Amino acid sequence: MTVLEHDGKLLIVDCGVLFPEEHQPGVDLILPDFGWIKDRLRDVVAVVLTHGHEDHIGAVPYLLKERADIPLVGSRLTLALVAAKLEEHRISPRLVEVKEGDRRGFGPFDCEFVAVNHSIPDALAVAVRTAAGLVVATGDFKMDQFPLDRRLTDLRALARLGEEGVDLFLTDSTNAEVPGFTTSESELVPAIETVFRAAPRRVIVSSFASHVHRIQQVLDAAHAHGRKVAFVGRSMVRNMGIARELGYLTVPDGLVMDLKQLEKLPPQKAALICTGSQGEPMAALSRMANRDHVIRIGEGDTVLLASSLIPGNENSVYRVINGLARYGAHVVHKGNAKVHVSGHASAGELAYVYNVVRPRHVMPVHGEWRHLKANADIAVRTGVAEDRVIVADDGVVVDLVDGRAKVTGKVSAGYVYVSGTTVGNITEASLKDRRTLAAEGVITVVGILDTDTGTLAEPPDFLARGFAPGQEALEQSIPSIEKALAKAAEEGVREREQLEDLITRAVAQWAWRAHRLNPIVLPVIIEE
């Protein structure tokens, strides 16, 4: 999520989500922190959405819950995907459809839209003109020279903007460490064809629910080899329905059918396209691997993982692959076949674009720190002065004044966690507690307090969950508890809260000394 400010007005470019990693248990989504603009939502003139992937549109419903009438600006497919998402949240948005070549004004921001090629149709870069200068944000892009939809990244428009003078260039960094040029999507056709030609029984393809081009290739291969297809998974059914209705997905008559109809066909005549390529526990493919789905994987089935492996998801994906293999499936994935290409520009393409645009300043965006740094290095090698390349953390404020960009401050830009219907109540401290529960366990200590003496009337009871040494070992902590309470009685400590704190410390210190563990300790004192 990028916020541009000029003349007291705000323009937002993209509003996406992160997906949780293993050290964030119980988190469903991670939102940008809207805190800095929460008191200025009336100053927001529009949200420009570069394309329809979740990491660029996923947080829009949560932003619109703060102010529902913010105009959403994007291409036809992008807005259709956003509208479907907002319908689930019961929000009626103000949609402003644009296409490449359009130029629209939003407050003091004059926006021009440029076609870029990505792994989803209808992606756009945006050039924002203001009295302070010209800013160009590429969004996610690559320079596929043979795209399936014949929609190229518009280098002529980027060159024209370069001639005008780009003061600040925000460029996609995701593949900046990858040398050369990204492989064309069309080069996957042989591998996908091989899967459909050689599979003895069903073919089950798992892909991102937004990867229209990849799913088009799968549909073409299924049709060529006489297989019928069913979509599985709510987001897959929804997105492919939208893409088909808008003409981005070409489906021959009779090719796609309902899952119940498909199950009546011979296995060698059936193909399924589902979600779950990243090992998401509730997605269709994971449930198949766990025998928790109506589709039962069997000997001779072929599963094609037609997507990238997002860093951090490796263990989940390999767990799914192992589960599928256990039940007899042959699993085809990026590691053993050419079934995926990236949607992002590699180092050669980034250098090419820098040489075309010749920006005055560069600010790499999208990706981890190593990707941003690699992108910055490419910019410098193409001739951008090192002091005009800005590598910034989230929340950094960059001012563009008189054609010169520089870092001038920082605003709060942390993570906002979504867990079920709860938004923002999960803190780093509560995540630490969850990790402790997972790794060390929890011990509940129940004691009956003799109010006359300030000591326990009888030995405490223990209830342990996830504590490796087990229930019996906990009795060894009783002397530590009794010693702490006896000392408190001598000093006249009688408050229940204070005594509970003493029990917590006594048990925690014992657990560390005896077992090198740090469980969460929950004391409960009952007064006699």
Side-chain angles (χ1 to χ4, degrees):
M1 176 179 173
T2 303
V3 181
L4 304 180
E5 179 175 7
H6 183 65
D7 199 20
K9 298 298 182 182
L10 305 176
L11 179 74
I12 297 173
V13 179
D14 289 329
C15 189
V17 295
L18 284 176
F19 295 101
E21 298 180 21
E22 288 188 353
H23 66 278
Q24 294 157 329
V27 174
D28 298 319
L29 290 174
I30 304 171
L31 309 178
D33 184 357
F34 304 142
W36 181 74
I37 64 168
K38 202 162 188 177
D39 294 333
R40 300 190 56 194
L41 289 173
R42 285 292 149 196
D43 295 332
V44 178
V45 294
V47 177
V48 173
L49 302 170
T50 59
H51 63 283
H53 280 152
E54 284 294 301
D55 58 334
H56 290 254
I57 68 169
V60 169
Y62 300 92
L63 178 64
L64 264 56
K65 285 177 183 177
E66 303 292 337
R67 181 190 152 197
D69 65 342
I70 300 175
L72 303 180
V73 184
S75 64
R76 191 179 182 205
L77 178 62
T78 302
L79 293 184
L81 294 174
V82 171
K85 181 181 294 292
L86 290 170
E87 187 176 347
E88 294 179 0
H89 289 261
R90 298 179 181 177
I91 297 173
S92 299
R94 288 178 58 191
L95 304 178
V96 180
E97 185 179 320
V98 294
K99 62 182 185 303
E100 56 265 30
D102 285 355
R103 190 165 171 176
R104 301 286 292 269
F106 303 96
F109 304 97
D110 177 3
C111 298
E112 180 180 349
F113 300 92
V114 178
V116 291
N117 179 250
H118 186 41
S119 53
I120 187 172
D122 254 8
L124 296 168
V126 58
V128 183
R129 294 177 178 87
T130 71
L134 171 59
V135 177
V136 176
T138 64
D140 287 352
F141 83 103
K142 62 177 177 177
M143 288 166 51
D144 191 338
Q145 299 304 298
F146 305 99
L148 297 181
D149 59 1
R150 301 185 181 279
R151 187 174 178 272
L152 298 164
T153 292
D154 192 347
L155 290 175
R156 290 186 299 176
L158 292 175
R160 176 174 48 76
L161 292 168
E163 289 296 321
E164 182 179 335
V166 174
D167 295 295
L168 183 60
F169 195 36
L170 279 61
T171 47
D172 179 9
S173 308
T174 310
N175 265 7
E177 289 187 311
V178 180
F181 284 64
T182 301
T183 304
S184 172
E185 182 77 24
S186 60
E187 293 191 27
L188 301 186
V189 171
I192 295 173
E193 284 281 345
T194 298
V195 167
F196 276 87
R197 183 173 60 251
R201 285 173 50 86
R202 293 178 301 183
V203 176
I204 299 164
V205 180
S206 181
S207 178
F208 293 122
S210 57
H211 207 328
V212 178
H213 296 320
R214 190 71 45 82
I215 291 165
Q216 181 69 67
Q217 290 177 300
V218 172
L219 292 176
D220 292 345
H223 184 59
H225 292 276
R227 291 179 182 265
K228 301 295 185 182
V229 176
F231 293 121
V232 181
R234 187 170 59 89
S235 59
M236 181 67 73
V237 172
R238 180 194 67 196
N239 288 2
M240 291 308 106
I242 291 170
R244 184 178 185 179
E245 183 180 333
L246 297 181
Y248 294 95
L249 191 69
T250 303
V251 183
D253 291 340
L255 177 64
V256 174
M257 58 176 52
D258 182 80
L259 178 59
K260 289 182 180 179
Q261 294 176 300
L262 192 80
E263 288 180 326
K264 297 175 183 178
L265 297 178
Q268 65 273 20
K269 294 291 184 182
L272 300 105
I273 302 175
C274 67
T275 54
S277 61
Q278 297 304 308
E280 305 96 314
M282 296 307 294
L285 194 66
S286 294
R287 292 173 57 202
M288 292 178 206
N290 293 331
R291 276 290 197 260
D292 183 31
H293 199 279
V294 65
I295 298 167
R296 313 294 279 186
I297 297 295
E299 195 72 39
D301 286 340
T302 300
V303 177
L304 170 61
L305 299 180
S307 63
S308 62
L309 188 57
I310 295 175
N313 292 348
E314 294 90 348
N315 291 339
S316 299
V317 173
Y318 292 137
R319 234 184 339 262
V320 169
I321 291 174
N322 285 330
L324 296 168
R326 180 182 296 115
Y327 297 115
H330 171 52
V331 185
V332 181
H333 54 87
K334 187 181 177 183
N336 59 21
K338 194 172 184 177
V339 291
H340 173 73
V341 296
S342 175
H344 302 271
S346 296
E349 292 156 272
L350 291 172
Y352 199 108
V353 169
Y354 285 134
N355 285 328
V356 167
V357 176
R358 289 293 179 190
R360 297 189 178 105
H361 299 84
V362 168
M363 184 173 171
V365 292
H366 309 160
E368 300 172 6
W369 187 265
R370 60 193 172 96
H371 303 127
L372 303 179
K373 187 66 173 66
N375 196 356
D377 291 342
I378 295 168
V380 171
R381 287 170 59 199
T382 61
V384 182
E386 196 165 340
D387 64 347
R388 290 179 173 243
V389 178
I390 300 168
V391 181
D393 287 314
D394 290 346
V396 165
V397 177
V398 178
D399 277 3
L400 179 62
V401 180
D402 296 329
R404 187 66 198 252
K406 60 181 179 180
V407 174
T408 58
K410 190 165 186 175
V411 300
S412 173
Y415 290 162
V416 175
Y417 299 106
V418 178
S419 181
T421 58
T422 302
V423 180
N425 289 350
I426 299 175
T427 64
E428 290 297 336
S430 60
L431 284 179
K432 183 179 178 182
D433 285 345
R434 290 181 179 191
R435 290 192 291 270
T436 301
L437 286 167
E440 316 280 356
V442 60
I443 299 169
T444 302
V445 186
V446 181
I448 298 175
L449 183 70
D450 185 331
T451 53
D452 294 330
T453 65
T455 59
L456 295 181
E458 57 185 65
D461 290 327
F462 299 94
L463 178 63
R465 289 288 183 268
F467 182 64
Q471 191 83 14
E472 294 179 3
L474 290 169
E475 294 182 4
Q476 299 169 14
S477 70
I478 293 176
S480 298
I481 296 172
E482 291 176 339
K483 181 179 178 181
L485 292 179
K487 185 178 179 182
E490 288 176 13
E491 296 173 353
V493 176
R494 288 287 192 274
E495 293 294 327
R496 188 169 64 181
E497 290 80 4
Q498 291 176 291
L499 296 176
E500 288 179 342
D501 287 343
L502 289 172
I503 291 174
T504 298
R505 279 201 297 274
V507 174
Q509 289 169 0
W510 165 83
W512 178 250
R513 285 196 312 269
H515 300 288
R516 289 295 184 266
L517 292 172
N518 283 310
I520 289 177
V521 179
L522 302 176
V524 178
I525 288 182
I526 301 171
E527 295 180 353
E528 190 177 44

